[in-house]
Amino acid sequence: MATNRTFTMIKPDAVRNGHIGAILEQINAAGFRIVAMKYTRLSQEKAGAFYAVHRGRPFYDELVDFMSSGPIVAAILEKENAVADFRTLIGATNPEEAAEGTIRAKYATSIGENAVHGSDSDENADIEGSFHFAGTEIFA
Ligand code: CMP
């Protein structure tokens, strides 16, 4: 069942490069409502747990190091068809393949340092949102 919610992180590269404001503006302009948001830094342990599904992949250690290398913005977003529409808004994982105007085409520098995360299913949106936010931090 569609939850109309997705989960995102503005990753350490985009934060370091000063793109928080522009990315949030593009997200709002596309019709997403922010229902939860925090500025935080993941420990190696938390980054490893968040991306546990990728454990064993050749890029896993690099991904965990990168995602814990500096602050991130984590948020839960609400919109009809949120998961699919947000993935369209951010573009392909590899910025070289991301459509023009998408967040990754504009702000990502490589497949590893790709500016933003977006959930790939309603189920994962729910799991990932709960990983970062308590119920009292979500404002429907
Ligand atoms: P994300 O959408 O956050 O989900 C998993 C992340 O793993 C992905 O974005 C990329 O940042 C990273 N990733 C996926 N494939 C590769 C790869 N081939 N090399 C490095 N990082 C990757």
Side-chain angles (χ1 to χ4, degrees):
M1 191 191 72
T3 59
N4 293 328
R5 284 186 180 175
T6 192
F7 172 77
T8 187
M9 291 182 284
I10 300 177
K11 298 187 179 186
D13 58 326
V15 172
R16 266 194 288 273
N17 293 329
H19 299 313
I20 294 175
I23 290 172
L24 290 178
E25 195 168 302
Q26 190 166 347
I27 289 170
N28 277 146
F32 290 88
R33 198 166 70 83
I34 295 165
V35 296
M37 184 161 72
K38 67 174 68 162
Y39 191 43
T40 185
R41 182 173 179 168
L42 298 175
S43 63
Q44 287 251 337
E45 291 69 27
K46 274 204 101 170
F50 183 86
Y51 282 114
V53 66
H54 295 300
R55 198 171 279 146
R57 300 254 190 115
F59 58 84
Y60 177 74
D61 289 347
E62 194 184 312
L63 176 61
V64 170
D65 283 348
F66 166 60
M67 287 303 296
S68 57
S69 69
I72 60 156
V73 176
I76 298 174
L77 307 173
E78 200 166 74
K79 181 185 180 296
E80 203 175 298
N81 203 29
V83 167
D85 284 2
F86 192 70
R87 287 175 75 80
T88 301
L89 182 71
I90 65 179
T93 304
N94 184 346
E96 286 178 16
E97 293 162 13
E100 199 183 330
T102 59
I103 292 174
R104 282 173 171 155
K106 286 159 78 172
Y107 305 115
T109 49
S110 68
I111 191 168
E113 304 203 359
N114 63 355
V116 282
H117 168 80
S119 304
D120 64 2
S121 66
D122 287 316
E123 186 190 7
N124 282 337
D126 194 37
I127 292 168
E128 292 171 1
S130 304
F131 184 93
H132 285 269
F133 295 98
T136 52
E137 297 174 307
I138 300 170
F139 303 94

